[in-house]
Amino acid sequence: MCPRLRIAAAAALAASLLAVSTASAQSPDGRFGNPARFVASSGEGLYADICQGCHMPGGVGAVGAGAYPALAGDQKLASAGYGLTLVIRGQKGMPAFGGLLTDEQVAAVVNYVRSHFGNHFTDAVTAADAKAAR
């Protein structure tokens, strides 16, 4: 095969692979339309999309292939900075979501977890708090 034809074939293959990977990153409901960012803006939506896969519905945590701590009744969440740091930077087995969430989304999910699942911490964090924690 001549070099020019090989280059054209390689370019066509790369373009088709890019199209397939972009199409597979799209979800029917649009929640995961941009693979670099999450779309949900409410704390409840972000928890459902990101957190409950490990921490379970109701924030009860899980043990199995890994240990996922319960968020329900977690006194560590009394410190707003604790929740912000965990979401932004991650810790141990929890990945960092700071690069995937806006400051507003970080604040929304932290406030949601701190005010649900038996947690009653009412001192809400703001997007400015999330920005300062980065």
Side-chain angles (χ1 to χ4, degrees):
M1 184 182 287
C2 81
R4 202 178 300 165
L5 189 55
R6 267 190 258 168
I7 292 171
L13 177 61
S16 66
L17 289 174
L18 180 63
V20 168
S21 69
T22 303
S24 65
Q26 302 290 327
S27 67
D29 62 6
R31 292 184 307 167
F32 305 106
N34 179 347
R37 292 268 183 202
F38 287 92
V39 177
S41 59
S42 72
E44 182 177 20
L46 290 161
Y47 183 86
D49 289 350
I50 303 170
C51 311
Q52 82 177 6
C54 295
H55 296 284
M56 300 293 122
V60 296
V63 176
Y68 306 98
L71 301 175
D74 186 350
Q75 289 301 308
K76 292 177 186 175
L77 293 169
S79 167
Y82 175 79
L84 287 170
T85 299
L86 283 180
V87 171
I88 293 169
R89 296 195 181 115
Q91 180 181 1
K92 298 181 183 175
M94 181 173 158
F97 289 99
L100 301 171
L101 299 172
T102 65
D103 294 334
E104 292 78 10
Q105 288 172 311
V106 170
V109 74
V110 169
N111 287 330
Y112 179 77
V113 170
R114 293 182 74 234
S115 61
H116 288 78
F117 316 126
N119 299 316
H120 303 287
F121 307 113
T122 58
D123 55 325
V125 298
T126 65
D129 296 328
K131 183 175 184 172
R134 290 186 185 270

